[in-house]
Amino acid sequence: MRKTSSTLILAILSILHLSNLVQASENSNKAAGCVISSHGRLLLVQGGPGNKWSLPAGYAEARETPEQTAQRETFEETGLTVNIIKSIDTGEQQVRLFICASENALQVSSNRVNLLKAPHLGRETIQAGFFDATEVEALKLRFPDQVLRLFEFKEVWQNSATEEVAYFSDRLPYVQDLELFWMNKLAN
């Protein structure tokens, strides 16, 4: 009886583990991102392969929902905490897109967005900005069809609040300030 119980428990644990592995592998190739806008302009980030412009988006981590992926990737690339408003179906099969709104007003200077609090600034993202349809056509886009198609859904975009500033604070968050200090120290 004891051996049967142990075998049953091991079988159940194996099934649960296998289920988690399947779920993780299903999510590992799924991408999700946020469509953030303000006054009819779309937020795009520049970085990644070829330093091209794209939506803040990326691949799911293990057991992460598409909504969580979109929020995490947006935070990593922009420093923005966003709320998911709704899913948007653009016919895109490779990525789930969500209409998102920033929880706080975005600091903007000449349509460029303050990224100084973005954890992956300099690694994944070098700048971000708001662009209208005409301006987008002049950019080097990572996924041109995806971005241009979004302007067809402009009526469902959620307006995120912005705060126009003359310049962004030159004071980095403490961790990035410390990292920069040590990078300079090691370089000399």
Side-chain angles (χ1 to χ4, degrees):
M1 178 74 172
R2 182 174 262 204
K3 190 172 184 177
T4 305
S5 295
S6 297
T7 305
L8 182 61
I9 289 172
L10 283 174
I12 291 171
L13 289 174
S14 295
I15 290 169
L16 289 174
H17 180 67
L18 185 60
S19 171
N20 285 342
L21 288 176
V22 168
Q23 179 67 34
S25 73
E26 286 176 0
N27 280 348
S28 66
N29 64 356
K30 301 283 183 179
C34 277
V35 176
I36 301 169
S37 64
S38 182
H39 307 292
R41 301 167 77 81
L42 187 61
L43 176 72
L44 298 175
V45 295
Q46 185 182 23
N51 279 330
K52 294 182 178 179
W53 292 89
S54 65
L55 295 171
Y59 291 102
E61 293 180 353
R63 294 187 211 107
E64 197 173 49
T65 66
E67 291 85 353
Q68 291 167 330
T69 300
Q71 289 175 310
R72 177 185 51 78
E73 286 289 341
T74 299
F75 178 74
E76 289 175 357
E77 295 177 11
T78 66
L80 300 174
T81 303
V82 295
N83 294 315
I84 301 287
I85 306 301
K86 65 180 171 180
S87 180
I88 181 171
D89 182 12
T90 62
E92 187 79 32
Q93 298 298 315
Q94 302 301 318
V95 63
R96 287 276 309 274
L97 296 177
F98 298 92
I99 300 296
C100 300
S102 178
E103 288 186 0
N104 301 308
L106 290 81
Q107 279 194 339
V108 177
S109 180
S110 301
N111 293 321
R112 292 297 189 257
V113 177
N114 184 348
L115 297 180
L116 291 177
K117 294 183 180 174
H120 292 188
L121 177 62
R123 285 183 276 169
E124 286 186 37
T125 309
I126 58 173
Q127 67 175 322
F130 282 109
F131 301 94
D132 64 25
T134 304
E135 294 165 328
V136 162
E137 290 177 5
L139 297 175
K140 286 177 54 178
L141 297 170
R142 186 168 177 200
F143 304 104
D145 293 339
Q146 175 193 73
V147 173
L148 294 171
R149 187 171 35 252
L150 284 171
F151 283 93
E152 297 171 19
F153 298 87
K154 199 171 174 180
E155 71 279 353
V156 298
W157 292 0
Q158 179 74 31
N159 195 46
S160 286
T162 58
E163 171 192 0
E164 188 69 35
V165 294
Y167 60 90
F168 301 133
S169 169
D170 58 356
R171 184 79 183 139
L172 292 171
Y174 178 73
V175 173
Q176 289 174 325
D177 203 24
L178 190 61
E179 182 179 47
L180 188 58
F181 169 80
W182 282 109
M183 288 172 60
N184 287 329
K185 193 97 167 148
L186 292 171
N188 296 325

